[in-house]
Amino acid sequence: LKHAHKLYRYPGYLKILAALHEIKAGGTEWSLVLSPRGEGSETTPTLELVGYYYRSSKVKPKRNKYCQTFACTIEMDSDIFDEDKSDIFARRPFMAEFMSGKFSFALITSHVIFASPKNPFEQDRITSKAFGTSYYDHIKGATAANYARIAEIKVTLDFIEKFVATKGAQKDVIFMGDFNLEKRAKFWPEILKSWQGSQIYIDKKTSITKARFNIKGEDTFGASMNYDHFIFNPKQTKECMGAKNTFTGGVVNFTQK
C-alpha cells in the first residue's frame, strides 16, 4: 500500500481537462461529461470511454427525454427496436443534451468499429439486424471490409429517426464521431435515408499520420483519411448553417502553426 500510488496512471481525459483549466481566459469554465463505463469490440482489449468537453459559461446540460437525465449510453435494445441490436456495436453511441442561449440540441457520438467480422455467422447476424437481409450486396459501396461500420451507422440513424419522432423529444440532433468511413463513399445516399432529411458533413482529412509523404509522394502535412463527420438535418438544425446554406464547421490541423 505504501507504494500503491506510484501504480496509478492519471487518466488522459483528466489531463485534457486540467490543461483546459490552465487557460488564463476562462479556463476553469471547462467541464466534462463522461460515459459511465468503457466499451470495446471483441477484437481489441482496449475499452474506450467517450465524453463531451464543454464551456459551462456558454453551454449548459439539459435533461434528455431518452436518457431521463442529460447524458447516457444509448442501449439499442428491444425497448427501441423490434429486437435487441446492441450486439452489433463495438461501442454503443453516447448521447448528451445541451442548451446554448435559446438553442437546445442533443449530441450523439460514436467511434465506429473498424474491422468487420469475417465469420459468416457473425456477418449474417449483423447484416440481418441492420439491413434486414443476410447480405449487404444491395447497398452500393458496401464491402466485406466495411459492412459492419455501415451497419453501426445505419442502426444509429434508425434510432435518431425514432427519437425525433417521439413526442416531447429533442428535434435538433447532431450525430458526430469517428465513423471510419469517408464522405465520398457511394453508400451514403442510401444509408442517410434512415434519418429523413439528414446530411453528412466534413470532407477534409481528419486523421493524423506520422508519414511525411503519402504513396503518391505528396506531403501529408500530418493528416490522412476523411473518417470524422457530422450528420444532422440542416433544415431542422439551421443554427449550424451559414450563408448560402453552407456548414459553418470545419477541420483544424493541430500539427500546424
Side-chain angles (χ1 to χ4, degrees):
L1 291 177
K2 182 178 179 180
H3 301 286
H5 70 282
K6 295 180 181 179
L7 302 176
Y8 177 74
R9 185 174 62 181
Y10 197 58
Y13 55 84
L14 291 182
K15 289 181 180 180
I16 294 174
L17 185 61
L20 289 170
H21 284 175
E22 292 176 1
I23 298 174
K24 291 182 179 180
T28 56
E29 297 172 356
W30 283 95
S31 300
L32 168 65
V33 54
L34 193 67
S35 58
R37 67 187 68 84
E39 293 194 351
S41 66
E42 295 181 358
T43 59
T44 173
T46 303
L47 300 181
E48 298 183 12
L49 291 165
V50 63
Y52 301 97
Y53 293 93
Y54 64 95
R55 197 167 182 174
S56 58
S57 62
K58 302 292 184 180
V59 177
K60 304 293 184 185
K62 182 178 182 293
R63 188 178 183 86
N64 177 269
K65 185 175 179 63
Y66 171 79
C67 297
Q68 298 303 309
T69 179
F70 66 89
C72 67
T73 299
I74 302 173
E75 297 296 335
M76 298 299 184
D77 56 15
S78 55
D79 288 339
I80 300 171
F81 302 106
D82 55 358
E83 62 179 328
D84 188 344
K85 299 186 180 185
S86 61
D87 59 347
I88 76 166
F89 287 86
R91 294 164 287 268
R92 291 172 298 173
F94 185 61
M95 172 189 277
E97 191 158 339
F98 298 94
M99 175 74 74
S100 177
K102 295 182 179 180
F103 174 48
S104 66
F105 56 97
L107 297 178
I108 297 176
T109 191
S110 177
H111 181 191
V112 173
I113 191 172
F114 183 81
S116 296
K118 297 180 180 179
N119 183 300
F121 296 102
E122 286 294 291
Q123 176 186 298
D124 180 76
R125 177 180 60 81
I126 292 171
T127 56
S128 294
K129 289 189 175 185
F131 310 128
T133 177
S134 60
Y135 205 59
Y136 49 78
D137 57 348
H138 67 292
I139 300 175
K140 189 175 182 179
T143 67
N146 66 23
Y147 76 86
R149 308 176 208 174
I150 300 172
E152 287 194 10
I153 298 294
K154 168 73 166 57
V155 174
T156 303
L157 296 178
D158 287 339
F159 165 79
I160 297 173
E161 178 76 1
K162 288 178 176 291
F163 175 73
V164 297
T166 304
K167 184 178 180 180
Q170 176 62 254
K171 307 304 179 187
D172 288 287
V173 178
I174 302 171
F175 179 27
M176 60 188 188
D178 180 356
F179 296 165
N180 280 314
L181 296 167
E182 297 209 332
K183 182 177 180 292
R184 63 182 179 179
K186 297 178 180 179
F187 49 73
W188 283 114
E190 180 65 27
I191 300 304
L192 290 172
K193 291 178 182 178
S194 294
W195 177 16
Q196 294 298 314
S198 65
Q199 297 291 327
I200 182 171
Y201 299 92
I202 301 298
D203 55 8
K204 294 182 174 60
K205 293 179 179 179
T206 57
S207 300
I208 293 177
T209 179
K210 295 180 180 179
R212 180 71 171 79
F213 300 98
N214 62 22
I215 58 175
K216 296 180 180 179
E218 302 166 334
D219 199 319
T220 65
F221 298 104
S224 71
M225 310 310 295
N226 168 232
Y227 279 168
D228 303 86
H229 309 286
F230 294 92
I231 297 177
F232 60 90
N233 184 335
K235 293 184 178 179
Q236 175 64 48
T237 309
K238 297 178 181 178
E239 290 82 357
C240 293
M241 307 304 290
K244 297 182 180 180
N245 201 37
T246 56
F247 180 49
T248 56
V251 178
V252 176
N253 189 334
F254 291 99
T255 67
Q256 295 179 286
K257 295 183 178 179

